[in-house]
Amino acid sequence: MSLNKPYTDIPGTIIFDADQSREGYHLNQFCMSLMKAENRERFKAGERAYLDEWPMTEEQKQAVLDRDLNRCLALGGNIYFLAKLGATDGRSFQYMAASMTGMSQEEYRDMMIAGGRSIEGNRRMGDSKS
């Protein structure tokens, strides 16, 4: 029996729910492993070899290698775990968020300072309010 998920129609939004958690378990555990300096060093020395130690899907591994954070999210990644990958690369959370929107870090910062993204076009598909 599948659960009713009324939140699946929010444009551009992936809700990290129990299903996403199960799908991304190994991806997120890989990210958490990067909290240890020795694991960061091993990963940086041979990313593919380190990823192959984890029972992730090939698609998850490729998303990590490509640093395609939106794809990682779609494949079960959690942004708070993925932040460890960004930190390993010396990237700020702001940089990571900007990369997910297609904006430069400065454009993203300016948008957030101005109050964030517009609600227009970002409501649930079932909402009729504008």
Side-chain angles (χ1 to χ4, degrees), residues 25-77:
Y25 178 79
H26 296 292
L27 169 59
N28 293 317
Q29 290 301 300
F30 149 73
C31 290
M32 289 303 291
S33 77
L34 299 176
M35 291 183 67
K36 293 184 177 180
E38 61 268 21
N39 291 337
R40 290 190 299 273
E41 290 169 18
R42 287 182 52 231
F43 177 64
K44 289 199 259 186
E47 292 186 3
R48 181 61 202 219
Y50 189 78
L51 286 171
D52 284 342
E53 295 176 21
W54 295 89
M56 297 162 42
T57 67
E58 185 57 35
E59 196 173 7
Q60 288 170 327
K61 291 175 186 180
Q62 193 59 54
V64 170
L65 291 170
D66 294 342
R67 301 306 195 267
D68 185 342
L69 300 176
N70 288 323
R71 191 75 196 125
C72 286
L73 290 176
L75 297 170

Side-chain angles (χ1 to χ4, degrees), residues 13-16 19-21 23-24 27 57 59-60 63 68-79 82 100:
T13 302
I14 298 166
I15 305 295
F16 188 76
D19 291 331
Q20 285 292 103
S21 177
E23 182 178 354
L27 169 59
T57 67
E59 196 173 7
Q60 288 170 327
D68 185 342
L69 300 176
N70 288 323
R71 191 75 196 125
C72 286
L73 290 176
L75 297 170
N78 179 292
I79 191 59
L82 291 168
M100 295 168 69

Side-chain angles (χ1 to χ4, degrees), residues 3-15 17 124-125:
L3 297 175
N4 178 27
K5 296 183 178 185
Y7 49 80
T8 60
D9 68 346
I10 304 169
T13 302
I14 298 166
I15 305 295
D17 62 7
R124 291 184 52 214
M125 301 302 282

